């Protein structure tokens, strides 16, 4: 009996020792490379604050990078060494000049999944390049001009919709912005009416809500895809809820078939381009690739636009003098050009400055990620980024770094009065990323946010209510920047 107990104890100690060694096997990596690093703890590496949902991913990386004032440093995401790059010059090399080494994101890829493997955001080269070059024309200057009246119409519908709540002390403005952005994407990409302002729970809105809600399952999917990409790939943990994806596929499938069977109809939209690309000449561009792009635009477009719009409304109601200044610019412009026009919207400088400042304070993504494709020796440095190493560019931290943006918590559009002063010594302001993988929808997204703001501010004064959170807290379960409690505001007709 005693012998069995002794053997059992030895076995247990052996198992724990092996497990401990296994979990710590990579923790010598940065030391061996002579790179400054943050001391990890077994299993979690440096991830504990973000995993316990005490802080958002952006704030977590921000805390680390503000303490470590170095051009780059090593961290451990669980047991995986990752290089955090925060020198503007080095960021420029990674994103732009030496892009050939850093063409792919480190986020999970889904080769087994015919739709997800073709999502532009997730796709790896060479597939990414083929898809990106075909879809670039969707957002040409000419196409954006054609979209303008559609977006403006949705802006007017949003204003009408809010008039139903004129006497309400507080309404959830993020939800209204999301209805607007969903309608805009549906109209511009698929030439259909999502009907979010007609029906309270229109199907497109419900599906969009499910893609970025705060449920634990959504947080688990998105966090695993970004932070444990190998696990997500190996276990086929889908980036988005498969039920939502299946439903969207069936809706977009119907739209595509109906358009293909009616070739004389031209929507001047994403669907036209997808169909053109798929015509015989390009076997690579099959139904799945088309479907993936439709889904990609829906998923990427609505949360980004609605978030930026609602964060701007929030800051303008907290900083009333800025709201007054912006409204004056809008009124002057509308009076001079006799209404909201495409040229007028692009001329409004203070509008542009406000949105730039919103995107600084609330960047949509907490960090940009790239994987090094082959060993990369950093010029004038001892650093060699090895093949397979993941690189994080801490977007939120850079945007909140007092060295680049003094008093970073202050909402101050004046920072962008002279844009030539921004990113003049490398890259540190990156709301849309940069380089060949820069956001493909950036000009479209900005146009939609601008039209949304001009439509609202020309008709309503926006006020804080007792329910408006001051300061606003970001939701740790969200991978993109989202307020924990939405953005409740009061809209007072002018
Ligand atoms: C305010 C609005 C938006 C913001 C702040 C934003 C931000 C971003 C950021 C930070 C990236 C990563 C860039 C990088 O890694 O360098 C990205 C990528 C992307 N965005 Fe946006 N986005 C916005 C709107 C949109 C819209 C409206 C669409 C489409 C309708 C869109 C489609 C995409 C796609 C497809 C990618 C992946 C591009 C690639 O890998 O080549 N985005 N976006």
């Amino acid at each position: 009996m005693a012998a069995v107990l002794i053997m059992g104890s030895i076995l247990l100690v052996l198992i724990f020792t092996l497990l401990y060694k296994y979990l710590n096997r990579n923790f010598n990596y940065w030391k061996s490379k002579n790179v400054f690093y943050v001391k990890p703890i077994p299993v979690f590496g440096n991830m504990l604050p973000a995993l316990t949902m005490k802080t958002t991913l952006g704030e977590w990386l921000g805390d680390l990078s503000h303490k470590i004032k170095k051009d780059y440093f090593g961290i451990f995401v669980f047991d995986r060494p990752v290089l955090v790059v925060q020198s503007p010059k080095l960021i420029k090399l990674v994103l732009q000049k030496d892009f050939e080494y850093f063409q792919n994101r480190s986020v999970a890829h889904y080769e087994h999944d015919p739709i997800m493997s073709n999502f532009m955001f997730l796709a790896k080269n060479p597939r990414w390049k083929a898809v990106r070059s075909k879809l670039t024309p969707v957002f040409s200057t000419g196409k954006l001009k054609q979209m303008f009246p559609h977006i403006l119409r949705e802006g007017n519908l949003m204003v009408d919709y809010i008039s139903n709540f004129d006497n309400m002390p507080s309404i959830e403005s993020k939800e209204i912005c999301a209805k607007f952005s969903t309608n805009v994407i549906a109209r511009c990409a698929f030439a259909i009416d999502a009907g979010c302002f007609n029906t309270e729970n229109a199907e497109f809105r419900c599906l969009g809500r499910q893609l970025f809600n705060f449920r634990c399952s959504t947080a688990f999917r998105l966090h695993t895809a970004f932070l444990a990409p190998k696990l997500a790939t190996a276990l086929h943990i889908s980036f988005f809820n498969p039920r939502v994806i299946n439903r969207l596929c069936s809706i977009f499938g119907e739209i595509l078939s109906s358009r293909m069977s009616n070739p004389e109809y031209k929507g001047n939209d994403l669907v036209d381009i997808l169909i053109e690309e798929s015509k015989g000449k390009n076997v690579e561009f099959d139904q799945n690739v088309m479907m993936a792009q439709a889904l990609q635009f829906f998923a990427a477009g609505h949360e980004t636009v609605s978030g930026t719009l609602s964060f701007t409304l929030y800051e303008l109601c907290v900083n009333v003098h800025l709201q007054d200044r912006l409204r004056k610019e809008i009124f002057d412009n509308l009076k001079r050009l006799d209404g909201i026009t495409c040229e007028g919207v692009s001329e409004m400088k203070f509008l542009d400055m406000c949105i730039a400042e919103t995107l600084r304070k609330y960047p949509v993504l907490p960090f940009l990620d790239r994987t090094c494709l082959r060993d990369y020796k950093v010029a004038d440095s001892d650093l060699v980024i090895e093949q397979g190493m993941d690189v994080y560019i801490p977007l939120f931290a850079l945007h909140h770094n007092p060295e680049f943006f003094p008093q970073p918590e202050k909402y101050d559009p004046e920072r962008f009065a002279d844009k030539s002063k921004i990113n003049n010594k490398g890259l540190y302001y990156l709301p849309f990323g940069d380089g060949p993988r820069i956001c493909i929808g950036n000009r479209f997204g900005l146009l939609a946010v601008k039209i949304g703001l001009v439509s609202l501010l020309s008709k309503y004064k926006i006020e804080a209510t007792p329910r408006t959170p001051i300061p606003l807290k970001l939701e740790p379960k969200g991978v993109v920047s989202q307020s924990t409690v939405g953005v409740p505001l009061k809209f007072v007709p002018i």
Side-chain angles (χ1 to χ4, degrees), residues 311-329:
F311 285 131
T312 311
L313 292 176
Y314 169 80
E315 289 292 347
L316 293 176
C317 93
V318 178
N319 300 284
V320 180
H321 64 292
L322 299 177
Q323 185 181 152
D324 293 343
R325 180 172 163 194
L326 179 54
R327 185 172 296 101
K328 182 170 179 331
E329 180 181 74

Side-chain angles (χ1 to χ4, degrees), residues 102-370:
F102 301 97
Q103 301 177 13
N104 294 336
R105 294 201 171 87
S106 63
V107 62
H109 60 107
Y110 300 87
E111 282 311 312
H112 64 281
D113 184 325
I115 301 289
M116 281 295 163
S117 56
N118 285 301
F119 241 61
M120 197 192 302
F121 189 89
L122 305 173
K124 312 280 166 189
N125 242 342
R127 189 173 295 186
W128 162 74
K129 201 169 182 180
V131 171
R132 171 110 192 183
S133 62
K134 293 197 172 67
L135 293 186
T136 301
V138 177
F139 298 119
S140 68
T141 306
K143 285 270 186 307
L144 286 182
K145 276 204 169 137
Q146 286 172 5
M147 291 173 192
F148 180 84
H150 297 312
I151 308 178
L152 186 56
R153 188 174 154 266
E154 299 304 337
N156 290 332
L157 287 178
M158 173 163 63
V159 167
D160 289 348
Y161 177 79
I162 293 177
S163 67
N164 297 324
F165 307 97
D166 272 357
N167 296 320
M168 293 272 277
S170 176
I171 53 175
E172 200 348 61
S173 69
K174 169 68 201 298
E175 174 57 25
I176 293 174
C177 296
K179 286 181 161 58
F180 166 74
S181 62
T182 307
N183 273 5
V184 165
I185 296 282
R187 172 68 57 197
C188 296
F190 313 111
I192 57 164
D193 179 10
C196 296
F197 291 124
N198 307 333
T199 315
E200 208 37 58
N201 281 315
E203 185 172 25
F204 265 110
R205 178 66 201 119
C206 294
L207 291 167
R209 228 178 257 143
Q210 288 178 60
L211 290 181
F212 291 101
N213 61 21
F214 296 154
R215 291 176 67 166
C216 290
S217 53
T218 311
F220 176 71
R221 282 178 201 295
L222 294 174
H223 278 75
T224 316
F226 278 100
L227 302 174
K230 286 202 175 117
L231 187 73
T233 305
L235 299 184
H236 294 191
I237 300 170
S238 170
F239 194 73
F240 289 126
N241 181 338
R243 262 188 312 110
V244 179
I245 294 298
N246 287 342
R247 180 61 194 132
L248 285 169
C249 277
S250 110
I251 297 174
F252 294 139
E254 279 171 29
I255 296 173
L256 285 172
S257 330
S258 109
R259 201 68 85 73
M260 280 160 129
S261 59
N262 189 5
E264 58 285 355
Y265 177 83
K266 287 277 165 259
N268 273 322
D269 55 6
L270 172 72
V271 180
D272 277 355
I273 292 187
L274 294 178
I275 292 173
E276 197 48 45
E277 284 303 333
S278 70
K279 279 184 190 154
K281 60 185 179 211
N282 192 343
V283 277
E284 299 263 304
F285 218 82
D286 62 13
Q287 185 87 7
N288 285 332
V289 184
M290 290 161 78
M291 201 73 87
Q293 304 328 308
L295 282 172
Q296 163 74 88
F297 278 33
F298 178 75
H302 84 273
E303 187 62 36
T304 51
V305 168
S306 61
T308 309
L309 185 52
S310 58
F311 285 131
T312 311
L313 292 176
Y314 169 80
E315 289 292 347
L316 293 176
C317 93
V318 178
N319 300 284
V320 180
H321 64 292
L322 299 177
Q323 185 181 152
D324 293 343
R325 180 172 163 194
L326 179 54
R327 185 172 296 101
K328 182 170 179 331
E329 180 181 74
I330 293 173
F331 278 158
D332 288 350
N333 188 287
L334 300 198
K335 197 169 162 204
R336 187 165 53 82
L337 298 170
D338 201 18
I340 306 177
T341 61
C342 195
E343 293 68 30
V345 166
S346 57
E347 275 172 17
M348 290 187 222
K349 183 158 187 243
F350 192 60
L351 175 67
D352 204 54
M353 287 158 60
C354 289
I355 298 171
E357 175 65 345
T358 303
L359 287 167
R360 178 199 68 81
K361 201 169 166 192
Y362 308 97
V364 167
L365 288 181
F367 58 84
L368 303 176
D369 59 314
R370 299 289 190 266

Side-chain angles (χ1 to χ4, degrees), residues 10 100 457:
I10 293 175
E100 55 169 301
L457 293 175

Side-chain angles (χ1 to χ4, degrees), residues 95 99 105 120 128 132 370 430-442:
L95 293 182
F99 174 74
R105 294 201 171 87
M120 197 192 302
W128 162 74
R132 171 110 192 183
R370 299 289 190 266
L430 295 155
F432 294 102
D434 211 309
R437 285 204 90 143
I438 191 171
C439 171
I440 195 171
N442 62 356

